[in-house]
């Protein structure tokens, strides 16, 4: 089965669609276009598509209709990487200066089935001792119109790593300033047909690929980051689909470090993906703010920070109205923002309460909104879920008992997040203190049914340990749960006796590698349900994992 690229916004068209000779030809065209970030190529139809999106704003999905289709990406440059990620690019460097690209007589780049550029030490450009062109600083070769250099297949040109070959459409060989082979427009180097470089494979000067920076797909997570400095000094790179369990950083630093002046993120907690345009919304507890990561813009936009104290949950409805909870503002507040303006705040200033009363909110976490505009909120300290109707001045309890925790089917303990499934008439609650997820009937009698966990705290596949955020698939059959203290993400089919680990450690180990998490707070599925976003709070980042 092949793969193809799908942007978060399905209506977003590719930059260009055209016929290409090969996957490499398609890749070179993407490399030459300053706005291209991702491309896909179908061998059967020869169709090449160039995209302005990248692998954090779209998905690589299986394609049964295109069994020979593949996806590639552009890698940002090394100096950009160092400035953004606060670490050396050398950890990603898979080639030594002597590991040049191996070209056969037809000059094709040798790639493995996963489309990695193969640069093993044995794949150097072969030059026989008697046929090398000596290009030391004092021996530049000047060719007049009558002095063409004829190279047969055995007469290869030996260039050191600093002597990159720059080919213009007229196929002249241009080396670095101190080692130039000076050829006028009529002084082309005559090569045999098997070595001719066609104009469609021309690499422009601003996109020259240096073997020194060839990178292994094992480290694709860090360069594919939301933050970059806008430079287009890029290097050609081919990427395979990320492995299951391998996290790609979409906000923050990939190595778990923190610098809010650069990333605008410190302790991400609540997550939500907009059903309108695929924008990822984040509530940051440590750097008190709510922000959005918009597809195709590659930037983090702070949507609310002034006066915020401890953001917890965020929800966006179909009209792009944003609902946000602050656990400590006035002892607990829900804010409603539309087009940048706060249109509602509950409770009103001066009416806050530090106890579990119906005319206020006390330490709210998660928030969800139904089609009628009713706001559902999980109250941490009060161990209850409440509903706030439009224009209401008090809340009603829909699950748990206000101010009274417990482990029976009608009680909850330390409620965190709430999710509605109106199509099936139910809602789900993180009963964190009881290490379980409970299901309730909308408008029912408040009796809950355990659908995940409930077997005590632990690392077993039938257990959760202080779970926090979760999400549910569109078909209402599967939950993805942030198993907070186990530092993992669980997939749990509703009705099953146990779940499976899809991200993080199966044994409760924390860490900051691409395969580990450190206190995940919440999860959110992308529009294709191919990828899941995770707020990796103590690593100060948001990660994305492939699910299938």
């Amino acid at each position: 089965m092949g793969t193809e690229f799908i942007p978060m916004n399905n209506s977003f068209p590719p930059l260009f669609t055209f016929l290409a000779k090969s996957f490499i030809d398609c890749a070179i065209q993407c490399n030459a276009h300053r706005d291209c970030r991702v491309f896909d190529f179908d061998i059967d139809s020869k169709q090449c598509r160039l995209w302005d999106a990248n692998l954090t704003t779209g998905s690589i999905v299986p394609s049964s209709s295109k069994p020979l289709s593949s996806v590639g990406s552009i890698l940002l440059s090394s100096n950009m990487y160092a400035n953004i990620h606060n670490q050396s690019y050398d950890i990603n460097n898979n080639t030594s200066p002597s590991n040049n690209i191996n070209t056969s007589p037809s000059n094709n780049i040798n790639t493995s089935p996963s489309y990695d550029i193969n640069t093993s030490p044995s794949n150097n450009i072969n030059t026989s001792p008697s046929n090398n062109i000596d290009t030391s600083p004092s021996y530049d070769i000047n060719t007049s119109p009558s002095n063409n250099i004829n190279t047969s297949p055995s007469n290869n040109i030996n260039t050191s790593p600093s002597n990159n070959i720059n080919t213009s459409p007229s196929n002249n060989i241009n080396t670095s300033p101190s080692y130039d082979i000076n050829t006028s427009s009529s002084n082309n180097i005559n090569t045999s047909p098997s070595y001719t470089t066609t104009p469609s494979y021309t690499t422009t000067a601003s996109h020259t690929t240096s073997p020194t920076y060839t990178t292994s797909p094992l480290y694709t997570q860090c360069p594919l980051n939301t933050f970059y400095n806008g430079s287009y000094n890029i290097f050609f790179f081919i990427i395979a689909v990320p492995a299951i369990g391998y996290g790609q950083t979409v906000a923050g630093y990939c190595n778990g470090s923190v610098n809010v002046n650069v990333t605008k993120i410190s302790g991400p907690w609540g997550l939500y993906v907009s059903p309108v345009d695929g924008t990822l919304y984040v509530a940051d507890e440590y750097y008190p703010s709510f922000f959005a990561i918009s597809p195709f813009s590659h930037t983090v936009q702070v949507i609310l920070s002034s006066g915020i104290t401890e953001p917890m949950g965020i929800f966006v409805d179909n009209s792009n109205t944003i609902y946000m909870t602050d656990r400590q503002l006035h002892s607990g507040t829900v804010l409603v923002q539309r087009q940048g303006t706060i249109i509602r705040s509950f409770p009103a200033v001066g009416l806050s309460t530090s106890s579990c009363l119906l005319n206020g909110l006390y330490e709210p976490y998660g928030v969800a909104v139904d089609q009628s505009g009713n706001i559902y909120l999980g109250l941490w300290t009060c161990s209850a879920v409440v509903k706030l109707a439009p224009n209401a001045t008090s809340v009603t309890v829909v699950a748990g008992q206000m101010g009274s925790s417990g482990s029976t089917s009608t009680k909850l303990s330390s409620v965190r997040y709430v999710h509605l499934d109106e199509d099936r008439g139910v809602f789900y609650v993180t009963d964190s203190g009881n290490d379980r997820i409970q299901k309730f009937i909308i408008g029912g009698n408040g009796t809950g049914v355990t659908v995940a966990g409930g077997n005590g705290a632990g690392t077993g596949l039938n257990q959760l340990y202080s779970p926090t955020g979760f999400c549910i698939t569109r078909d209402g059959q599967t939950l993805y749960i942030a198993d907070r203290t186990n530092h993992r993400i669980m997939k749990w089919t509703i009705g099953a006796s146990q779940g499976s680990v899809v991200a993080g450690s199966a044994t409760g180990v924390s860490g900051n590698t691409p395969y580990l998490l450190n206190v995940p707070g919440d999860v959110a599925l992308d529009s294709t349900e191919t990828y899941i976003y995770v707020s990796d709070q103590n690593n100060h980042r948001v990660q994305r994992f492939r699910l299938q």
Side-chain angles (χ1 to χ4, degrees):
M1 181 178 293
T3 56
E4 61 180 327
F5 180 77
I6 302 295
M8 286 182 179
N9 184 349
N10 289 330
S11 64
F12 193 86
L15 289 169
F16 297 102
T17 301
F18 57 92
L19 298 181
K21 296 179 180 179
S22 65
F23 183 88
I24 298 300
D25 188 20
C26 182
I28 291 175
Q29 298 305 318
C30 182
N31 187 36
H33 195 288
R34 59 172 288 170
D35 293 325
C36 182
R37 290 293 177 271
V38 174
F39 61 92
D40 55 21
F41 175 73
D42 180 32
I43 293 178
D44 286 335
S45 65
K46 302 298 183 184
Q47 176 181 272
C48 173
R49 298 188 301 174
L50 308 185
W51 297 92
D52 186 22
N54 63 33
L55 296 181
T56 67
T57 57
S59 302
I60 299 175
V61 299
S63 176
S64 57
S65 63
K66 298 179 180 179
L68 297 179
S69 178
S70 302
V71 179
S73 176
I74 293 297
L75 178 67
L76 303 181
S77 70
S78 62
N79 60 340
M80 186 184 307
Y81 179 95
N83 292 337
I84 296 165
H85 300 286
N86 197 28
Q87 57 182 288
S88 171
Y89 189 83
D90 293 340
I91 64 169
N92 293 339
N93 191 347
N94 194 32
T95 61
S96 64
S98 62
N99 293 338
N100 297 321
I101 297 175
N102 178 27
T103 58
S104 64
S106 59
N107 291 338
N108 294 322
I109 296 177
N110 180 21
T111 59
S112 64
S114 60
Y115 302 105
D116 301 328
I117 297 179
N118 182 15
T119 57
S120 64
S122 61
N123 294 335
N124 298 322
I125 298 178
N126 182 25
T127 61
S128 62
S130 59
N131 294 321
N132 294 328
I133 297 177
D134 183 13
T135 58
S136 64
S138 59
Y139 296 101
D140 294 337
I141 299 177
N142 181 20
T143 59
S144 63
S146 61
N147 295 333
N148 294 325
I149 300 175
N150 181 20
T151 60
S152 65
S154 61
N155 296 336
N156 297 318
I157 298 175
N158 181 20
T159 60
S160 65
S162 61
N163 298 337
N164 296 324
I165 299 176
N166 179 21
T167 58
S168 65
S170 59
N171 300 330
N172 295 324
I173 296 183
N174 180 22
T175 61
S176 63
S178 60
Y179 301 101
D180 292 333
I181 299 176
N182 183 19
T183 60
S184 63
S185 58
S186 61
N187 295 334
N188 296 325
I189 296 179
N190 182 22
T191 60
S192 61
S194 62
Y195 286 85
T196 300
T197 304
T198 63
S200 62
Y201 288 84
T202 299
T203 304
T204 63
S206 60
H207 296 87
T208 301
T209 304
S210 169
T212 306
Y213 294 99
T214 302
T215 308
S216 166
L218 180 61
Y219 298 99
T220 59
Q221 171 219 4
C222 293
L224 297 176
N225 195 287
T226 300
F227 307 102
Y228 68 102
N229 64 9
S231 169
Y232 289 96
N233 180 23
I234 57 179
F235 292 88
F236 173 71
F237 180 66
I238 302 174
I239 183 172
V241 176
I244 298 294
Y246 183 94
Q248 294 174 302
T249 301
V250 298
Y253 286 117
C254 65
N255 62 0
S257 60
V258 59
N259 184 344
V260 295
N261 293 326
V262 175
T263 65
K264 308 300 182 187
I265 185 170
S266 177
W269 197 249
L271 298 180
Y272 196 79
V273 174
S274 168
V276 178
D277 58 8
T279 296
L280 175 65
Y281 290 87
V282 183
D284 193 312
E285 180 185 9
Y286 296 166
Y287 181 67
S289 61
F290 297 91
F291 61 84
I293 304 173
S294 300
F296 318 115
S297 70
H298 312 286
T299 58
V300 167
Q301 175 191 2
V302 177
I303 56 178
L304 185 62
S305 61
S306 178
I308 299 301
T309 59
E310 196 170 339
M312 285 289 127
I314 190 164
F315 179 92
V316 184
D317 67 16
N318 290 330
S319 66
N320 266 338
T321 300
I322 306 171
Y323 302 79
M324 299 163 281
T325 59
D326 188 321
R327 192 175 75 161
Q328 294 299 322
L329 181 63
H330 309 309
S331 297
T333 302
V334 60
L335 302 164
V336 183
Q337 178 177 289
R338 183 178 298 152
Q339 296 180 346
T341 301
I342 299 296
I343 62 173
R344 187 182 185 188
S345 175
F346 180 88
V349 176
L351 296 179
S352 60
T353 176
S354 57
S355 58
C356 299
L357 301 177
L358 297 180
N359 64 345
L361 298 175
Y362 187 31
E363 295 197 330
Y365 262 75
V367 56
V369 183
D370 66 18
Q371 297 296 322
S372 301
N374 296 304
I375 304 173
Y376 290 73
L377 299 141
L379 303 185
W380 165 256
T381 301
C382 297
S383 296
V385 178
V386 297
K387 181 175 73 172
L388 177 64
N391 303 316
T393 57
S394 63
V395 298
T396 57
V397 178
V398 295
Q401 295 181 19
M402 199 71 154
S404 176
S405 63
S407 59
T408 66
S409 61
T410 59
K411 287 195 172 186
L412 301 167
S413 177
S414 301
V415 173
R416 298 216 189 232
Y417 286 88
V418 183
H419 272 273
L420 298 172
D421 185 356
E422 292 185 82
D423 291 341
R424 295 159 188 85
V426 298
F427 66 93
Y428 298 87
V429 180
T430 310
D431 190 6
S432 185
N434 289 318
D435 307 298
R436 66 187 183 183
I437 305 296
Q438 295 290 90
K439 180 177 75 172
F440 295 87
I441 303 297
I442 296 176
N445 62 5
T447 300
V449 176
T450 301
V451 294
N455 297 303
T459 59
L461 293 180
N462 67 336
Q463 294 177 301
L464 300 171
Y465 192 175
S466 190
T468 48
F470 67 99
C471 59
I472 186 169
T473 53
R474 281 189 296 270
D475 62 9
Q477 299 302 307
T478 305
L479 296 171
Y480 289 93
I481 306 164
D483 194 5
R484 178 179 179 270
T485 308
N486 280 330
H487 311 289
R488 67 188 184 184
I489 307 303
M490 295 289 288
K491 175 183 179 182
W492 208 301
T493 301
I494 293 176
S497 59
Q498 66 179 37
S500 59
V501 178
V502 296
S505 169
T507 58
V509 175
S510 65
N512 63 4
T513 72
Y515 292 96
L516 294 176
L517 301 167
N518 191 352
V519 186
D522 199 6
V523 290
L525 288 166
D526 77 343
S527 59
T528 67
E529 298 190 348
T530 302
Y531 289 88
I532 190 168
Y533 295 96
V534 179
S535 56
D536 190 8
Q537 188 178 47
N538 282 3
N539 281 326
H540 319 288
R541 65 189 183 185
V542 177
Q543 297 287 85
R544 190 184 76 158
F545 294 87
R546 183 169 66 92
L547 296 174
Q548 51 184 297

